[in-house]
């Protein structure tokens, strides 16, 4: 870009050439016109002079020739003296010719042999009939130009002879040649001087242009700090002023653009949604950090790639489909291990009524949303299912009673007991559901109080020991004697323990032993409830805290489980900022652990 302009390509050189050519043409025209004119004038003057002399001579000759003489030879002598002494003309030969075209005298002594000879000149013939004639001829021997003149010698009675004048005019041409030489050297000097002047003057024209060029190059590199110097008020200076204004405007525009770009960049960077921009062919030209995170890609990997491939949509969409895709598209990136769903919204980049320039895609993570939605659907299905089973059972027993079983004193009470059990189970289920929905509601609050957890645990176990006697289950306690004060909601914590301990009892064999421990662990207290029951297969352990999850549905239902006990326990422990987990060996027993923090709950105390 920063190419140097060679001298022969520069404006300066062009100007010099133009000026010199113009001058040359002007001088040529002037020179030609002037010398031609001068030459003509000089020749004409010379002819005039010759004519004047000729006429004067002719007048004198008339006298000599008309004089009556006895001796004709005196005429020749008189004429000779007239021609050679009185009317001699420099560089000219004059011949006198009589009526019979005979030469009767010549001014050229060397040429005297022609006297007495007849002249063959056409012009002489013409002069003899009274018509003067003149022309320029070249001397065949010397090549010199000669003025040739024939003047009639007339009396009142008509022409009596003629004068023939031959004069060299080479001198005139030599003079003109000399003047030409002077003109040429003058032209050469003036050309040289003007060429030098042009070199200097052209600077004033080219300097601002060179300046502007330099400035334009700097602007190309983002430097707007300088201005072009304005020297005068001519067109180039106007251009320089406009150029300076342009520089300022461009600078402003660049600053604004940079600012906008920064703003856009920071908006894009801090957006919680992923944004991808593509060109009109659907190739990615920009994506923000969030989009990189959401798609687990680095921008350099996907820039220039078709968006359909990156979003794994190429099978179901063409890029043109996305242009008028007003609904959002769900992108399922789930694997066997984890669920991952993104929602994509598309909008086109288009100038008013113009062609489509590209596409903006906004991505957000809807995995959680979809999961909640899925859970909600499952929950409704589960609840319906859980309620339908006891209701169907009750219906069939009641129908049986209606059909006559009521009259059977043995069957009737049993059937009634079944319906009662089912009713109780439904009540338990509905209560559990209510409890969960309360925990789920936003304004759920614990009523916290400081309690010595050891004592509290003892009192709960005491209550269970009384019920457990009939199933012959023993409780062992490993509870630290050291007072362990934690802040808990007593009722809720009772429920947690009830659910866990009743499970331990439910799934323990007759005569089993349930061990309950309480110990300090860092910033927490840890409670464990272990039984020697059937245990939980490893693959099911992760799910037992889910709502309605039961390892062995038939068995759980037979012991009156709703599948919600551990789910409630988990929610309540979490509400206390604790953790809950299971450790179990299938066939050997189960231990449920949970922790509670010592630290107080700020802002949740009532
Ligand atoms: P349920 O009311 O059916 O007991 P829970 O939520 O309390 O529901 O327990 C979920 C499932 O976990 C139970 O159905 C059972 O299969 C299993 N489970 C819970 N506690 C024990 C335990 N102590 N021993 C064996 N299995 C258990």
């Amino acid at each position: 870009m920063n190419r140097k302009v060679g001298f022969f390509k520069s404006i300066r050189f062009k100007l010099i050439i133009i000026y010199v050519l113009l001058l040359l043409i002007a001088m040529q025209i002037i020179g030609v016109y002037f010398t031609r004119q001068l030459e003509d004038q000089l020749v004409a003057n010379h002819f005039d002079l010759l004519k004047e002399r000729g006429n004067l001579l002719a007048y004198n000759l008339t006298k000599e020739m008309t004089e009556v003489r006895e001796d004709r030879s005196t005429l020749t002598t008189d004429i000779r003296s007239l021609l050679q002494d009185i009317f001699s003309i420099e560089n000219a030969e004059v011949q006198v010719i009589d009526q019979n075209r005979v030469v009767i005298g010549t001014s050229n002594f060397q040429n005297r042999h022609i006297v007495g000879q007849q002249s063959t000149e056409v012009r002489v013939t013409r002069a003899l009939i009274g018509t003067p004639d003149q022309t320029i001829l070249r001397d065949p021997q010397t090549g010199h130009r000669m003025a040739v003149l024939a003047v009639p010698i007339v009396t009142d009675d008509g022409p009596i002879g003629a004068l023939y004048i031959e004069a060299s005019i080479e001198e005139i041409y030599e003079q003109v040649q000399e003047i030409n030489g002077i003109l040429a050297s003058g032209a050469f000097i003036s050309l040289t001087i003007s060429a030098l002047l042009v070199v200097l003057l052209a600077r004033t024209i080219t300097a601002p242009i060179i300046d502007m060029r330099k400035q334009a190059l700097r602007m190309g590199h983002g430097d707007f700090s300088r201005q072009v110097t304005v020297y005068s008020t001519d067109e180039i200076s106007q251009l320089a002023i406009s150029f300076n204004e342009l520089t300022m405007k461009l600078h402003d525009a660049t600053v604004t653009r940079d600012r906008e770009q920064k703003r856009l960049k920071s908006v894009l960077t801090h957006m919680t949604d992923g944004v991808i921009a593509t060109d009109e062919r659907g190739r990615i030209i920009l994506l923000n950090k969030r989009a990189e995170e959401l798609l687990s890609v680095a921008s350099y990997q996907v820039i220039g790639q078709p968006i359909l491939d990156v979003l794994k949509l190429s099978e179901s969409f063409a890029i043109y489909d996305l242009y008028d895709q007003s609904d959002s598209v769900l992108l399922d990136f789930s694997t066997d291990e984890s669920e991952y769903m993104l929602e994509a919204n598309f909008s086109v980049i288009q100038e008013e009524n113009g062609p489509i320039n590209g596409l903006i895609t906004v991505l957000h993570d809807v995995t959680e949303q979809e999961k909640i939605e899925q859970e909600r659907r499952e929950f409704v299905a589960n609840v319906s299912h859980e309620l339908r089973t006891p209701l169907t059972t009750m219906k069939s027993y009641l129908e049986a009673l209606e059909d006559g079983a009521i009259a059977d004193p043995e069957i009737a009470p049993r059937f009634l007991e079944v319906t009662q059990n089912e009713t109780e189970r439904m009540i338990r289920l509905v209560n559990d559901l209510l409890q969960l929905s309360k925990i789920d509601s936003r304004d759920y609050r614990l009523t916290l109080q400081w309690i010595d957890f050891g004592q509290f645990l003892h009192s709960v176990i005491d209550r269970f020991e009384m019920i457990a006697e009939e199933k012959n289950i023993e409780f062992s306690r490993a509870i630290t004697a050291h007072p362990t004060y934690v802040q808990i909601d007593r009722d809720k914590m009772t429920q947690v323990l009830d659910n866990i301990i009743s499970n331990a009892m439910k799934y323990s064999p007759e005569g089993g032993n349930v061990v309950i421990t309480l110990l300090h662990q860092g910033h927490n207290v840890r409670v464990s409830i272990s039984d020697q029951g059937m245990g939980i297969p490893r693959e099911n352990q992760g799910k037992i805290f889910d709502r309605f999850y039961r390892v062995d549905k038939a068995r759980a239902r037979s012991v009156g489980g709703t599948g919600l006990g551990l789910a409630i326990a988990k929610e309540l422990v979490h509400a206390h900022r604790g953790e809950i987990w299971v450790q179990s060996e299938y066939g050997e027993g189960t231990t449920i652990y949970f922790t509670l923090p010592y630290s107080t709950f700020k802002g949740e105390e009532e």
Side-chain angles (χ1 to χ4, degrees):
M1 193 173 151
N2 193 4
R3 257 179 295 129
K4 198 153 173 53
V5 181
F7 175 72
F8 292 107
K9 287 185 177 169
S10 68
I11 292 185
R12 232 191 298 172
F13 180 69
K14 285 176 192 157
L15 280 175
I16 293 170
I17 291 289
I18 291 170
Y19 271 81
V20 168
L21 281 179
L22 281 178
L23 272 174
L24 216 58
I25 291 169
M27 282 176 174
Q28 198 66 29
I29 291 171
I30 292 170
V32 169
Y33 182 74
F34 174 75
T35 47
R36 173 67 54 83
Q37 201 60 18
L38 186 72
E39 195 180 287
D40 289 353
Q41 193 63 47
L42 286 176
V43 171
N45 285 352
H46 199 68
F47 268 110
D48 286 350
L49 186 83
L50 287 178
K51 235 189 266 169
E52 223 172 85
R53 293 278 191 96
N55 285 337
L56 190 63
L57 187 60
Y59 174 72
N60 284 297
L61 279 172
T62 319
K63 271 202 235 157
E64 295 292 341
M65 284 168 80
T66 48
E67 201 178 307
V68 183
R69 297 170 189 267
E70 280 150 28
D71 189 356
R72 193 161 158 82
S73 65
T74 56
L75 174 68
T76 325
T77 336
D78 285 350
I79 288 174
R80 192 189 308 138
S81 78
L82 257 179
L83 291 180
Q84 285 175 3
D85 306 329
I86 306 162
F87 289 106
S88 74
I89 305 169
E90 269 173 64
N91 292 327
E93 180 186 346
V94 184
Q95 295 173 11
V96 182
I97 295 128
D98 70 5
Q99 224 165 353
N100 304 319
R101 291 175 54 190
V102 176
V103 180
I104 51 173
T106 171
S107 63
N108 191 354
F109 183 70
Q110 280 143 24
N111 229 0
R112 64 183 184 282
H113 62 270
I114 62 162
V115 174
Q117 287 180 8
Q118 218 168 27
S119 171
T120 51
E121 276 293 327
V122 205
R123 283 169 200 85
V124 171
T125 321
R126 268 194 223 132
L128 285 177
I129 52 171
T131 321
D133 198 359
Q134 64 180 52
T135 189
I136 296 174
L137 285 180
R138 251 181 212 283
D139 186 325
Q141 275 132 40
T142 58
H144 286 177
R145 272 161 289 202
M146 322 260 268
V148 178
L149 224 74
V151 181
I153 307 168
V154 257
T155 60
D156 297 340
D157 304 328
I160 54 159
L163 265 183
Y164 179 73
I165 308 170
E166 242 183 36
S168 168
I169 49 166
E170 201 53 41
E171 221 169 87
I172 296 176
Y173 287 99
E174 270 163 23
Q175 261 175 25
V176 171
Q177 206 59 42
E178 240 168 72
I179 293 171
N180 262 347
I182 295 170
L183 263 181
S185 54
F188 178 74
I189 293 169
S190 65
L191 273 180
T192 320
I193 293 174
S194 57
L196 285 174
L197 278 177
V198 167
V199 171
L200 296 176
L201 286 175
R203 253 179 201 285
T204 61
I205 296 174
T206 52
I209 296 179
I210 292 171
D211 211 11
M212 273 186 263
R213 180 170 172 269
K214 274 190 201 151
Q215 176 62 21
L217 284 175
R218 273 196 224 108
M219 268 154 66
H221 292 114
D223 176 8
F224 296 94
S225 60
R226 299 212 200 153
Q227 295 259 308
V228 177
T229 323
V230 180
Y231 294 100
S232 60
T233 51
D234 61 6
E235 289 91 330
I236 291 183
S237 305
Q238 295 292 324
L239 180 65
I241 293 170
S242 310
F243 192 84
N244 285 341
E245 280 170 11
L246 184 75
T247 309
M248 252 147 62
K249 284 200 181 129
L250 203 61
H251 184 213
D252 287 351
T254 316
V255 168
T256 319
R257 194 200 59 199
D258 286 354
R259 203 167 39 220
E260 290 297 320
Q261 232 165 22
K262 264 185 208 143
R263 242 182 248 167
L264 183 69
K265 208 170 171 187
S266 81
V267 168
L268 282 179
T269 316
H270 296 108
M271 262 177 88
T272 48
D273 287 341
V275 178
I276 305 174
T278 64
D279 60 13
E280 73 285 355
R281 288 182 305 156
R283 291 181 191 280
I284 296 179
I285 50 175
L286 180 138
L287 75 167
N288 69 351
K289 263 254 142 0
R290 183 67 184 140
E292 287 180 43
E293 284 165 18
L294 287 175
L295 295 170
S296 312
V297 291
S299 61
Y300 71 86
Q301 295 172 315
V302 292
I303 296 266
Q305 300 292 320
I307 187 164
L308 289 172
D309 291 352
V310 175
L311 298 183
K312 301 196 170 72
L313 285 175
S314 29
E315 276 170 23
S316 33
F317 288 96
I319 188 70
Y320 304 105
D321 298 336
L322 297 185
Y323 286 167
D324 24 64
Q325 179 74 28
S326 50
D327 299 335
S328 53
V329 174
L330 204 62
L331 311 170
D332 191 350
F333 289 103
S334 304
T335 56
D336 290 343
E337 289 92 52
S338 64
E339 284 200 9
Y340 189 46
M341 309 273 240
L342 293 180
E343 190 185 71
N345 287 292
F346 303 97
S347 54
V348 289
I349 312 171
Q350 189 172 24
E351 278 165 35
E352 228 178 309
N353 299 327
I356 290 174
N357 292 332
L359 191 71
I360 294 280
T361 308
V362 178
L363 297 174
H364 44 253
D365 187 350
V366 289
T367 313
E368 212 44 45
Q369 214 171 304
E370 282 294 311
K371 217 159 132 190
I372 290 168
E373 195 60 24
Q374 181 68 22
E375 274 172 10
R376 196 188 57 79
R377 283 195 291 269
E378 271 173 22
F379 185 74
V380 172
N382 279 332
V383 170
S384 324
H385 182 76
E386 291 299 324
L387 286 172
R388 202 182 56 193
T389 318
L391 281 172
T392 328
T393 319
M394 276 167 67
K395 186 169 180 259
S396 54
Y397 276 85
L398 286 171
E399 273 171 5
L401 283 168
E402 197 184 29
D403 287 349
I406 197 154
D408 188 328
E410 247 183 60
I411 300 173
R414 251 184 38 225
F415 276 21
L416 278 175
E417 199 192 322
V418 172
T419 54
Q420 203 156 5
N421 282 344
E422 290 301 314
T423 315
E424 273 167 20
R425 206 149 77 91
M426 279 203 302
I427 292 170
R428 259 203 318 276
L429 182 71
V430 172
N431 278 340
D432 282 354
L433 282 172
L434 273 176
Q435 179 109 27
L436 270 174
S437 96
K438 257 195 226 158
I439 298 170
D440 286 343
S441 77
R442 269 168 199 278
D443 39 78
Y444 178 70
R445 288 266 186 277
L446 296 173
T447 314
L448 296 169
Q449 57 190 127
W450 288 102
I451 280 173
D452 178 356
F453 205 79
Q455 263 182 22
F456 168 68
L457 210 48
H458 279 301
S459 69
V460 174
I461 300 166
D462 287 347
R463 183 158 52 79
F464 269 97
E465 266 180 340
M466 284 195 276
I467 326 165
E469 266 174 15
E470 47 188 84
K471 215 183 164 189
N472 197 17
I473 287 174
E474 259 184 46
F475 284 91
S476 312
R477 311 175 194 211
I479 296 169
T480 169
H482 196 72
T484 309
Y485 279 94
V486 282
Q487 220 186 1
I488 54 166
D489 182 321
R490 194 187 181 100
D491 288 348
K492 302 293 171 347
M493 201 40 70
T494 312
Q495 174 138 34
V496 171
L497 288 168
D498 278 2
N499 289 357
I500 298 171
I501 298 173
S502 61
N503 273 353
M505 281 170 62
K506 266 192 273 179
Y507 300 106
S508 277
E510 193 100 353
N513 187 20
V514 175
V515 183
I516 294 164
T517 69
L518 170 69
L519 53 87
H520 298 191
Q521 202 183 43
H523 297 294
N524 300 317
V525 288
R526 198 192 76 187
V527 183
S528 73
I529 297 103
S530 316
D531 62 57
Q532 300 167 323
M534 55 198 293
I536 304 164
R538 191 161 293 275
E539 65 270 21
N540 304 44
Q541 287 179 11
K543 294 183 186 158
I544 60 164
F545 297 101
D546 292 350
R547 292 171 190 196
F548 295 113
Y549 186 80
R550 280 171 290 209
V551 178
D552 177 349
K553 287 206 177 354
R555 196 194 141 97
R557 219 170 259 134
S558 73
V559 290
T562 58
L564 293 173
L566 285 181
I568 294 172
K570 181 187 83 177
E571 297 296 344
L572 290 175
V573 169
H574 284 174
H576 280 87
R577 305 273 158 96
E579 288 298 328
I580 185 163
W581 68 98
V582 63
Q583 208 172 48
S584 178
E585 207 57 57
Y586 191 50
E588 284 180 21
T590 306
T591 307
I592 303 281
Y593 295 92
F594 69 89
T595 59
L596 291 172
Y598 281 127
S599 56
T600 52
F601 294 82
K602 287 201 177 78
E604 287 187 13
E605 247 171 307
E606 282 183 9

